[in-house]
Amino acid sequence: MSATSQQVLFGIYGLAFFTFGLVMAVRTVGHKGSMLVNRMRLLAVFGLLHGVFEWLVMYGVSATYPKSIITLAVFSFLPLILFAFWESKGLAVIGSILCAVLAAFWLFAASLFDSPAILEFIGRYCFGVPAALAAGTTFLADKSFRHRNGPPSGALILAGGCFLVYGASQLVSSPVGVIGLPLIETDTFMAFTGVPVFAIRTIIAVLLSLAGVMLMSEFETINQRNLESELENAKTVAENRNEALLEALARNEHLATHDHLTGLANRRGVERFLETAHEDGIYENGIAVLHIDLDDFKQINDTLGHASGDSFLRHIADTLKANTRPDDFVGRIGGDEFLVIGRLDRKDTDIRELGQELIKILREPLMIEGRPCRCNVSIGIAFERNPDFDVDHMLLHADTALYRSKRNGKNRIEFFSKEIQNQIIKKKQLADEIFVGLEESTFFPVYQLQFCAKSLNVAGVEALARWQHPIYGIVSPAHFLKLAEEIHVIAQIDHQILLKAHHDFASWIDDGVSIPRLAVNISANRLRNNSLIDAISDLCGHSERLSFELLESIFLDDPDERISNNIRRLREMGIEIEVDDFGTGHASIIALMKLSPTRLKIDQALVGPITQSKSQRSLVKSIIDIGTAQGISVTAEGVETMEHAKILTDLGCDVLQGFALARPMPADDLLAFLSAGSWRDRAQQSA
């Protein structure tokens, strides 16, 4: 074959491959990088590079730069290998690694051999043949190129066949000068077939270019189908993820609205249920809410352990579900608090009977670790016949009724009422006013003088707490003392009274008024406070004239070690201890002896009747005798008349305190009262 004819074949050969690559490149412009589009682009790179390679051979550049031209041919086959592997992301990664290894192998071989024949042989057998065969097989076998997984089209068969034949034709190469290689040489092929191998390759390249043009319309359809398939797969994945997300959200919602221990709805679940019920009008005839609390449940945890307590709570939950109507709603909103919500298609008496029945059933013992375990319950009930009920108010009203049930002795039922609500509101308002009073220091003492029974000389003064209320004016402890104890501020009030009383007492002494002692009431909470001694120590002087009055009902039999220690330390500071309201409590004589107070104060409830009752006088006399026997001074409160004063003096009482001699008065009035001496005039007149 002449050189000119061979150059013409190389020109046609290169043009055909370049055209194939150009068609593929142009057709993929504007398309996103789907798997099929990426494969077409790899074919485009192969065709363009291989076409350029054949043209360079045609122009004789390979003779001048043989190694570079062969390297271009070798590298043009790498996109074809990638094309065969680009079916999935995983295979694409493997193909990329393989191409990188082959490229490294070629660079090593090119550095090792200088013979163009050997390099051509390596490139043809290690790159060209495998790449063309792999591409042909891919066109024929890879179902991603077919319409709906049908048989390959004519264009695919033509393209696949061309690549397979082209790969086979690559087995024919120029002699390499190595014995036994290659198996088939170009001259041998020419002699055997009568056709130059370059002519066959040129025909194959032209047919492959034609197949590329034929594949364009099919690639467009297949690409669209693949995109739709990818979208469908993405939609399926998104739907599956959405279903999984919804399931996870449902699980989280269930966990957020249900109690893990009993499986009942928790507070959030109860609120959610009531909101839905209100919106759906489930309770159009009215609604009843029973708030159930286990009385003294803490004892079960403390004695049997928390595991037993959990078992008991599960038992309560199961019992409630088993003994309420199927459409009643049962929830657990706290540690030992449950709710039953139901339709109000019954009378008030029926609701009470339901509550009583639940109290009876829930009281039945449960055997835990071989021991019968039981617990009383308190129930607060709120109901509303108006279907347009307020969810928050219903829960609040039931809780308010439960609070009243606990306050009234437990193990009982209480209904919410407007009266209870008003009491709660007033109580809350009063509590707020007490806090404000403490902040503004509106608690202050008034003073009631105490007199020696025999001489009527001033024996001391008691500081009595008063409050300058913003609305009602000056009020006595009867108005605020009980609530102050409930909200745990009685110790703060005691402290304010003590500071102000001590200041007034010091002022009297500075003015030359001699009052033997100052008595101040002290609460149990205050006496338990570890800071009491430090607060007393901060007072400047006169502690030897200070006396603390302790309620008999609170202190004498109180085993609290903090109280005992503080009393001991108060004595060490020279402060006297008095027992107030003696005779109304439950203290034993032994407890009295153990405390060993400086004086006893007989409660006015015992003093009042002595003018009319001989037995009452005997009772008061016995108290005085107890004090005398123990070396304890005795003070009588509630001395309302001079007749009371005379009888108490005759009975041996040491000190008198009451309206007959002096009423409670502000600090400013006390000095004037002492100067007037009016109590002596009343005593002389009665005599």
Side-chain angles (χ1 to χ4, degrees):
M1 186 176 183
S2 66
T4 302
S5 300
Q6 191 171 358
Q7 283 181 326
V8 171
L9 288 177
F10 276 118
I12 298 172
Y13 190 6
L15 179 62
F17 272 115
F18 193 85
T19 302
F20 176 78
L22 187 62
V23 169
M24 292 290 176
V26 171
R27 201 67 185 86
T28 57
V29 172
H31 288 276
K32 294 183 178 180
S34 66
M35 299 297 290
L36 181 62
V37 170
N38 289 332
R39 278 180 151 181
M40 292 170 66
R41 288 171 178 164
L42 289 170
L43 289 174
V45 173
F46 159 74
L48 294 173
L49 291 178
H50 210 68
V52 170
F53 158 71
E54 299 296 347
W55 283 341
L56 292 174
V57 173
M58 177 187 70
Y59 286 111
V61 178
S62 59
T64 306
Y65 304 102
K67 186 177 293 188
S68 299
I69 299 304
I70 296 172
T71 299
L72 176 62
V74 166
F75 276 67
S76 71
F77 285 115
L78 294 180
L80 210 58
I81 294 173
L82 268 179
F83 164 79
F85 278 88
W86 209 270
E87 183 178 354
S88 65
K89 291 182 178 179
L91 289 175
V93 172
I94 295 174
S96 299
I97 295 173
L98 176 60
C99 288
V101 172
L102 289 173
F105 165 70
W106 171 254
L107 294 175
F108 173 75
S111 65
L112 189 64
F113 300 105
D114 291 327
S115 171
I118 294 177
L119 292 176
E120 180 188 350
F121 174 80
I122 294 173
R124 190 176 298 279
Y125 278 85
C126 295
F127 291 86
V129 172
L133 294 178
T137 304
T138 299
F139 271 116
L140 295 175
D142 195 333
K143 294 183 179 180
S144 63
F145 294 116
R146 303 179 189 181
H147 291 286
R148 304 194 180 280
N149 296 327
S153 65
L156 286 173
I157 293 174
L158 179 59
C162 286
F163 271 112
L164 289 176
V165 174
Y166 182 66
S169 72
Q170 293 294 322
L171 294 173
V172 180
S173 66
S174 301
V176 297
V178 179
I179 299 175
L181 295 175
L183 299 177
I184 304 175
E185 296 181 355
T186 54
D187 294 340
T188 304
F189 184 84
M190 178 69 178
F192 183 76
T193 62
V195 180
V197 69
F198 300 109
I200 295 176
R201 290 174 183 168
T202 302
I203 295 171
I204 293 171
V206 171
L207 291 176
L208 185 61
S209 179
L210 176 63
V213 174
M214 294 170 60
L215 285 172
M216 284 304 95
S217 61
E218 293 188 24
F219 277 174
E220 182 67 26
T221 303
I222 294 170
N223 185 51
Q224 183 64 31
R225 184 207 67 193
N226 288 344
L227 288 175
E228 293 175 355
S229 177
E230 290 177 7
L231 289 174
E232 188 65 28
N233 291 337
K235 180 181 177 182
T236 301
V237 171
E239 289 176 349
N240 292 336
R241 289 179 178 175
N242 188 50
E243 290 179 3
L245 179 61
L246 290 176
E247 291 177 0
L249 289 174
R251 288 194 298 271
N252 291 337
E253 179 67 16
H254 185 273
L255 293 174
T257 57
H258 286 75
D259 169 44
H260 73 282
L261 180 64
T262 63
L264 299 177
N266 57 18
R267 179 175 288 278
R268 182 178 177 184
V270 169
E271 293 173 349
R272 184 75 57 83
F273 167 78
L274 283 173
E275 290 169 357
T276 303
H278 181 267
E279 293 173 357
D280 296 344
I282 295 177
Y283 298 113
E284 58 182 7
N285 295 324
I287 182 175
V289 178
L290 286 75
H291 193 162
I292 302 168
D293 181 81
L294 306 183
D295 296 335
D296 304 319
F297 172 73
K298 185 175 182 295
Q299 295 180 0
I300 296 178
N301 282 333
D302 292 344
T303 56
L304 300 180
H306 287 277
S308 297
D310 290 346
S311 297
F312 191 78
L313 290 173
R314 286 191 289 266
H315 162 71
I316 294 295
D318 294 339
T319 303
L320 286 173
K321 289 188 290 187
N323 290 277
T324 51
R325 296 171 299 183
D327 58 347
D328 285 341
F329 183 87
V330 181
R332 179 189 177 209
I333 62 171
D336 58 351
E337 297 183 41
F338 296 83
L339 279 183
V340 175
I341 303 171
R343 299 188 314 274
L344 191 62
D345 54 359
R346 53 183 70 174
K347 300 177 181 178
D348 296 355
T349 53
D350 294 336
I351 300 175
R352 182 176 292 276
E353 289 176 1
L354 171 64
Q356 295 288 3
E357 183 66 18
L358 289 177
I359 287 178
K360 178 181 177 183
I361 294 172
L362 296 176
R363 191 187 300 159
E364 295 178 358
L366 171 70
M367 297 301 295
I368 298 179
E369 297 180 358
R371 297 173 56 182
C373 182
R374 70 180 75 211
C375 193
N376 292 331
V377 299
S378 299
I379 300 179
I381 302 177
F383 62 89
E384 179 60 65
R385 299 193 183 279
N386 185 353
D388 190 24
F389 60 87
D390 185 278
V391 172
D392 293 334
H393 285 173
M394 289 300 301
L395 295 176
L396 177 62
H397 292 170
D399 182 66
T400 300
L402 175 64
Y403 174 77
R404 176 57 61 93
S405 174
K406 304 285 279 187
R407 285 290 303 276
N408 288 345
K410 302 180 181 180
N411 193 33
R412 56 185 290 122
I413 292 173
E414 288 287 349
F415 281 84
F416 173 80
S417 67
K418 292 295 183 182
E419 178 185 356
I420 294 176
Q421 185 179 30
N422 291 336
Q423 291 176 359
I424 296 296
I425 293 174
K426 289 181 180 179
K427 190 173 183 179
K428 176 63 169 61
Q429 181 179 354
L430 181 60
D432 291 340
E433 292 169 347
I434 290 174
F435 283 118
V436 173
L438 284 168
E439 292 173 0
E440 298 179 354
S441 192
T442 55
F443 292 92
F444 65 94
V446 295
Y447 303 96
Q448 188 171 27
L449 289 165
Q450 300 169 336
F451 303 90
C452 175
K454 294 180 179 178
S455 65
L456 291 184
N457 292 332
V458 174
V461 63
E462 179 182 4
L464 304 173
R466 295 292 186 269
W467 178 23
Q468 183 66 49
H469 192 275
I471 298 174
Y472 305 115
I474 298 175
V475 296
S476 69
H479 186 80
F480 62 83
L481 184 61
K482 185 175 181 181
L483 180 57
E485 290 177 345
E486 289 184 17
I487 61 178
H488 308 293
V489 297
I490 190 67
Q492 295 171 252
I493 295 176
D494 282 351
H495 186 62
Q496 284 193 7
I497 298 300
L498 174 60
L499 291 179
K500 293 180 180 181
H502 183 268
H503 177 269
D504 290 338
F505 191 69
S507 297
W508 296 331
I509 294 175
D510 292 341
D511 291 339
V513 178
S514 178
I515 299 178
R517 70 175 180 280
L518 169 66
V520 181
N521 290 286
I522 187 169
S523 64
N525 288 333
R526 180 66 171 151
L527 199 58
R528 289 190 185 96
N529 197 315
N530 293 327
S531 65
L532 172 64
I533 301 302
D534 292 336
I536 301 300
S537 300
D538 291 339
L539 298 176
C540 298
H542 310 303
S543 61
E544 73 283 355
R545 296 194 187 185
L546 188 60
S547 176
F548 279 164
E549 294 189 5
L550 321 179
L551 290 178
E552 175 210 9
S553 58
I554 295 177
F555 297 109
L556 290 185
D557 287 336
D558 195 322
D560 195 316
E561 188 172 336
R562 288 173 297 177
I563 290 179
S564 300
N565 288 337
N566 278 341
I567 289 177
R568 175 182 55 77
R569 296 183 66 183
L570 289 173
R571 290 184 187 279
E572 292 173 354
M573 297 172 66
I575 297 174
E576 296 181 349
I577 301 298
E578 301 183 18
V579 176
D580 197 10
D581 296 341
F582 189 79
T584 60
H586 55 275
S588 64
I589 299 299
I590 294 176
L592 180 65
M593 293 172 62
K594 181 178 179 181
L595 178 63
S596 186
T598 304
R599 67 186 54 80
L600 300 176
K601 296 186 73 174
I602 304 174
D603 189 79
Q604 58 185 357
L606 300 178
V607 172
I610 63 174
T611 58
Q612 305 294 330
S613 172
K614 185 176 181 179
S615 62
Q616 197 72 21
R617 288 197 296 272
S618 298
L619 176 59
V620 171
K621 173 63 174 173
S622 64
I623 295 175
I624 294 172
D625 290 342
I626 290 173
T628 302
Q630 296 297 321
I632 301 172
S633 175
V634 178
T635 299
E637 294 181 303
V639 181
E640 303 293 330
T641 65
M642 295 310 297
E643 183 180 3
H644 282 100
K646 185 177 184 310
I647 294 173
L648 288 166
T649 301
D650 293 341
L651 292 176
C653 186
D654 299 302
V655 178
L656 305 178
Q657 180 179 346
F659 287 3
L661 299 171
R663 291 177 175 272
M665 63 191 75
D668 295 340
D669 295 345
L670 187 135
L671 296 180
F673 180 84
L674 290 176
S675 299
S678 57
W679 74 91
R680 294 186 184 276
D681 296 336
R682 286 194 297 273
Q684 291 175 359
Q685 290 173 5
S686 64

